[in-house]
């Protein structure tokens, strides 16, 4: 399952975790250059942390002093945390924060919002990201995973996608597929009606379908 998530939700910057699965849904990154800025920024950051926590959002505060903000941004992006809340001295003055969504890296995914009503805003954003990733995963599945009825179809599909077909669960058939195509079986617990068919490799009775794909 994790393999499937990484395959579907990942980009050059690393993981993109769906909010519902993410152990940490949001991270607060306070930004400051000196102690004076730090005390002002941390006051707001601590308040925001409590508000978001009270709203049931799983979050972390990144108040590490030994690394730069840029390092923190990359670090959390790589780990796939869906939302980053940045708070700097200017935000303290303006009563704002910057929200960065992991599924849209860079400027495009960044918005400046008021500190007022922030919990509702972040909760809404998490739902939006969840929906957007689900849509992306569904599109990916429809474009890349194909039902196969015959062994020839399987061989063709696994060249650049995932094949979904009946398998008798024997090691012989799995080995044959691997030798012929380099593809292996992937058992992913998507909703799967139990129905009977015949193994695409040997033609013997089969009670379940599996995915066949080459290793990435
Ligand atoms: Zn078989």
């Amino acid at each position: 399952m994790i393999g499937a998530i990484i395959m579907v939700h990942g980009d050059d910057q690393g993981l993109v975790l769906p909010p519902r699965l993410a152990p940490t849904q949001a991270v607060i990154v306070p930004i400051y250059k000196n102690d004076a800025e730090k005390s002002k920024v941390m006051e707001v950051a601590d308040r925001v942390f409590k508000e978001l926590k009270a709203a049931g959002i799983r979050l972390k505060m990144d108040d590490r002093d030994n690394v730069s903000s840029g390092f923190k941004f990359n670090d959390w992006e790589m780990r796939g945390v869906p939302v980053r809340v940045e708070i700097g001295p200017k935000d303290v003055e303006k009563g704002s924060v910057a929200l960065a969504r992991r599924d849209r890296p860079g400027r495009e995914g960044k918005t400046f919002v008021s500190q007022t009503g922030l919990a509702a805003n972040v909760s809404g954003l998490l739902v939006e990201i969840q929906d957007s990733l689900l849509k992306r995963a569904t599109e990916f599945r429809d474009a890349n995973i194909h039902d196969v009825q015959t062994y020839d179809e399987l061989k063709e599909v696994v060249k650049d996608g995932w094949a979904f077909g009946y398998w008798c669960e024997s090691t012989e058939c799995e080995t044959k597929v691997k030798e012929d195509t380099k593809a292996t079986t992937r058992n992913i617990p998507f909703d799967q009606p139990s129905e009977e068919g015949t193994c695409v490799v040997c033609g013997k009775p089969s009670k379940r379908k599996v995915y066949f794909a080459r290793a990435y």
Side-chain angles (χ1 to χ4, degrees), residues 15-216:
L15 264 183
V16 184
L17 287 176
R20 270 193 231 156
L21 283 168
T24 302
Q25 295 173 310
V27 59
I28 298 175
V29 180
I31 301 164
Y32 46 80
K33 288 198 184 75
N34 51 50
D35 285 348
E37 283 183 359
K38 183 180 178 179
S39 67
K40 280 185 206 161
V41 168
M42 284 313 296
E43 194 185 316
V44 174
D46 287 334
R47 178 165 49 78
V48 165
F49 185 90
K50 280 180 199 141
E51 283 173 15
L52 298 189
K53 188 128 196 147
I57 297 164
R58 298 191 289 276
L59 82 162
K60 280 202 161 76
M61 169 82 81
D62 189 350
D63 54 3
R64 286 177 287 176
D65 268 332
N66 56 338
V67 292
S68 69
S69 307
F71 179 91
K72 292 179 184 179
F73 296 170
N74 289 337
D75 194 24
W76 293 108
E77 277 180 3
M78 206 177 65
R79 297 191 215 183
V81 174
V83 172
R84 188 173 68 236
V85 183
E86 302 169 10
I87 306 172
K90 276 192 183 146
D91 297 305
V92 174
E93 279 169 33
K94 292 182 190 163
S96 64
V97 304
L99 293 182
R101 49 190 289 180
R102 178 62 184 89
D103 62 330
R104 291 187 196 159
R107 272 167 197 270
E108 190 211 343
K110 208 159 183 171
T111 48
F112 292 88
V113 300
S114 170
Q115 286 166 20
T116 310
L118 185 63
N121 219 324
V122 172
S123 298
L125 186 56
L126 288 169
V127 172
E128 205 181 309
I129 294 171
Q130 180 74 34
D131 290 348
S132 162
L133 289 177
L134 182 65
K135 187 165 166 272
R136 220 189 277 177
T138 307
E139 284 168 2
F140 179 92
R141 187 195 63 197
D142 293 346
N144 296 284
I145 298 181
H146 304 281
D147 275 298
V148 292
Q149 317 293 339
T150 68
Y151 194 47
D152 282 341
E153 282 174 10
L154 183 150
K155 283 192 278 190
E156 195 55 37
V157 166
V158 296
K159 281 179 186 167
D160 59 0
W162 285 40
F164 187 48
Y166 284 106
W167 171 46
C168 65
E169 298 178 51
S170 77
T171 317
E172 287 82 0
C173 287
E174 195 178 26
T175 307
K176 181 172 167 54
V177 171
K178 197 175 178 185
E179 281 170 357
D180 290 348
T181 70
K182 295 193 186 75
T184 53
T185 57
R186 315 290 169 104
N187 188 18
I188 296 169
F190 279 130
D191 288 339
Q192 197 189 123
S194 125
E195 45 180 319
E196 308 219 339
T198 52
C199 174
V200 291
V201 186
C202 67
K204 285 182 188 154
S206 155
K207 284 200 178 89
R208 66 184 191 128
K209 283 178 156 183
V210 289
Y211 295 90
F212 297 90
R214 285 180 177 171
Y216 280 81

